[in-house]
Amino acid sequence: MVQNNDYIGFNKPYLTGQEQEFIADAVRLKKLSGNGKYTILCQQFFEQNFGFKKCLLTTSCTDALEMCALLLNIQLGDEVIMPSYTFVSTANAFVLRGAKIVFCDSNLVNPNIDSGQIERLITSKTKAIVVVHYAGVACDMDNVMSIANRHNLFVVEDAAQAIDSYYKDRPLGSIGHLATFSFHETKNISSGEGGMLVINDTQFINRAEILWEKGTNRVAFFKGQVDKYNWVDIGSSYLPSEITAAFLYAQIIAMEDIQSKRKKIWHMYFEHLSEWATFNKIRLPQIPVYATNNAHMFYLVCSSPAHRTEIINSLQNDGIMAVFHYLSLHNSPFYIEKHDNRVLKESDNLSSTLIRLPMFYDLSETQITKIIKSLTTIRLSIN
Ligand SMILES: *Cc1c(COP(=O)(O)O)cnc(C)c1O
């Protein structure tokens, strides 16, 4: 279909207006490599506002996840438990270190890991549990942490979508031993590409700083703790440039406004789609009592793949782009042969029935009304 000015895309990056000012300042300072003024401002903001013990900006959430696999010393044959319904990087970061991924199904209420199934997947080779707070909605963290403690396992929170969201009164990203965030263009707070590693278990801080700086003790050198810097460990180049950090800082200080606007959009969808959804056996997102909603995403779960196709096509005909999401990783061309044949029914169901609606700061009330009207006038075939 022809995309005219009325076309409503799935995502549109938001600019606060201060990005260029901070980037210009970073340029003026002539310190454009990583770990300068804006990197430190961003990291301090998160440490102070969310109680994260130590934050390190990275060039992506994928990089931060790779750092987690290095920090946990994942070796060939170690097992890592995680949901199958997630982004490829959650698994790939650990596969790069030789891990065997033991995929767990999603629960019945939302796409998050079914914590009730984790314990039976633990073996003597299990090293870590990686949870993903899908759509920024918390996993059942008390349960996950107590399982981990009982079995002496590490917990990594893939909080890529979960900025400014909470489990009870605890910010997501502050609960696991390690956590990762994404500032990719599609996330609430963005720098185009970008991410962050959070270290809550302080035993990992020193080594994280070394891995971050290509395996050298450069950070300790700049703090005056050693008199020259050396190659001391493995590592890579995980720091973003100051230009990226300056852009990110503009977004961070506008976070309250961004979040409240997104929540308004989310609630408009929820309110106006509830009746239609019930009538058509479509599930809307459910936020468990222990979780908050950071309005990262608004999704629908249809009762059949055919209904999903009908809805996506019908919206497309009205000039609205809605998209599906993950395909179960345990069934992916890369992993299917390595998977242990367990059927993960919920994950597969979500792979074929979940739809995401347009969700971005600049979505106007007129546009939301148009999307709601387009959806609620769809007559789904009976099946
Ligand atoms: C976006 C996302 C990632 C990857 O983030 P990048 O910053 O693009 O590397 C990883 N995990 C989840 C759950 C995500 O949503």
Side-chain angles (χ1 to χ4, degrees):
M1 97 151 250
V2 184
Q3 298 195 3
N4 58 27
N5 287 335
D6 292 336
Y7 187 79
I8 305 173
F10 170 68
N11 181 53
K12 188 170 148 195
Y14 169 63
L15 296 175
T16 69
Q18 263 196 311
E19 289 85 355
Q20 297 194 34
E21 178 190 329
F22 291 160
I23 288 172
D25 181 46
V27 170
R28 245 191 326 269
L29 291 169
K30 294 211 168 89
K31 162 68 176 96
L32 293 175
S33 59
N35 204 10
K37 172 182 168 181
Y38 285 98
T39 301
I40 291 163
L41 279 172
C42 291
Q43 292 174 176
Q44 279 176 348
F45 177 93
F46 287 113
E47 287 161 12
Q48 285 160 9
N49 288 278
F50 295 106
F52 302 150
K53 290 265 169 53
K54 174 74 191 167
C55 294
L56 294 173
L57 290 193
T58 57
T59 55
S60 65
C61 181
T62 301
D63 269 0
L65 286 160
E66 287 180 22
M67 288 181 74
C68 292
L70 289 168
L71 284 170
L72 300 183
N73 224 356
I74 298 297
Q75 305 288 319
L76 187 68
D78 285 348
E79 295 179 4
V80 179
I81 298 170
M82 66 178 66
S84 177
Y85 196 73
T86 183
F87 189 61
V88 61
S89 294
T90 318
N92 200 39
F94 293 88
V95 169
L96 278 170
R97 308 309 308 161
K100 176 183 172 204
I101 309 299
V102 178
F103 287 111
C104 186
D105 208 356
S106 297
N107 70 70
L108 290 165
V109 173
N110 63 34
N112 287 343
I113 195 165
D114 183 352
S115 67
Q117 293 189 38
I118 293 175
E119 203 147 24
R120 74 183 77 132
L121 301 176
I122 295 173
T123 72
S124 58
K125 291 184 175 163
T126 309
K127 269 286 200 57
I129 302 167
V130 184
V131 297
V132 179
H133 305 298
Y134 188 81
V137 175
C139 295
D140 184 4
M141 289 310 287
D142 278 345
N143 206 12
V144 171
M145 295 311 291
S146 75
I147 294 167
N149 289 337
R150 261 202 309 281
H151 296 271
N152 216 3
L153 304 174
F154 291 110
V155 173
V156 176
E157 297 177 72
D158 179 343
Q161 305 171 8
I163 198 79
D164 190 32
S165 200
Y166 292 77
Y167 172 78
K168 296 179 180 170
D169 56 354
R170 302 174 70 186
L172 298 184
S174 72
I175 304 167
H177 301 84
L178 300 167
T180 64
F181 286 92
S182 173
F183 305 118
H184 184 264
E185 185 172 287
T186 50
K187 305 303 201 280
N188 292 26
I189 303 294
S190 136
S191 57
E193 301 278 355
M196 183 168 72
L197 172 69
V198 173
I199 304 130
N200 296 311
D201 183 341
T202 51
Q203 66 165 312
F204 293 118
I205 294 177
N206 272 342
R207 185 154 186 248
E209 288 178 334
I210 290 166
L211 301 177
W212 194 51
E213 276 283 17
K214 300 101 185 162
T216 72
N217 53 357
R218 193 164 185 264
V219 173
F221 173 70
F222 281 112
K223 287 183 193 161
Q225 293 163 349
V226 290
D227 58 8
K228 45 182 166 309
Y229 81 84
N230 245 312
W231 185 16
V232 293
D233 200 337
I234 55 173
S236 191
S237 183
Y238 293 121
L239 296 80
S241 104
E242 274 288 288
I243 299 175
T244 300
F247 188 105
L248 182 64
Y249 191 61
Q251 297 258 317
I252 286 173
I253 61 177
M255 185 148 69
E256 243 183 78
D257 175 49
I258 293 172
Q259 300 294 75
S260 80
K261 181 75 192 290
R262 294 183 74 106
K263 285 179 202 171
K264 240 174 91 182
I265 297 168
W266 197 99
H267 285 289
M268 253 183 98
Y269 276 141
F270 192 83
E271 233 171 82
H272 292 96
L273 292 175
S274 287
E275 201 179 314
W276 167 79
T278 309
F279 182 78
N280 287 290
K281 297 191 171 63
I282 289 165
R283 274 158 55 199
L284 297 187
Q286 281 188 59
I287 318 289
V289 285
Y290 53 71
T292 61
N293 173 21
N294 72 347
H296 172 62
M297 188 193 297
F298 195 92
Y299 65 84
L300 315 170
V301 180
C302 304
S303 62
S304 73
H307 280 180
R308 174 166 84 173
T309 306
E310 282 176 51
I311 291 173
I312 289 177
N313 291 345
S314 172
L315 288 171
Q316 187 67 29
N317 283 332
D318 285 346
I320 298 158
M321 185 179 180
V323 295
F324 51 77
H325 208 187
Y326 305 131
L327 300 174
S328 292
L329 292 181
H330 72 283
N331 277 336
S332 62
F334 180 69
Y335 220 83
I336 191 161
E337 297 300 325
K338 303 174 186 68
H339 179 64
D340 52 23
N341 285 324
R342 278 173 303 113
V343 175
L344 305 178
K345 188 164 160 269
E346 292 309 314
S347 179
D348 287 342
N349 184 45
L350 292 164
S351 303
S352 62
T353 59
L354 185 144
I355 310 176
R356 295 175 293 160
L357 299 182
M359 181 77 203
F360 51 88
Y361 185 100
D362 288 320
L363 203 59
S364 69
E365 252 183 71
T366 316
Q367 288 174 313
I368 303 164
T369 307
K370 180 181 162 177
I371 297 165
I372 290 166
K373 187 161 169 238
S374 173
L375 278 168
T376 50
T377 49
I378 295 174
R379 292 284 157 260
L380 289 169
S381 61
I382 300 154
N383 62 4

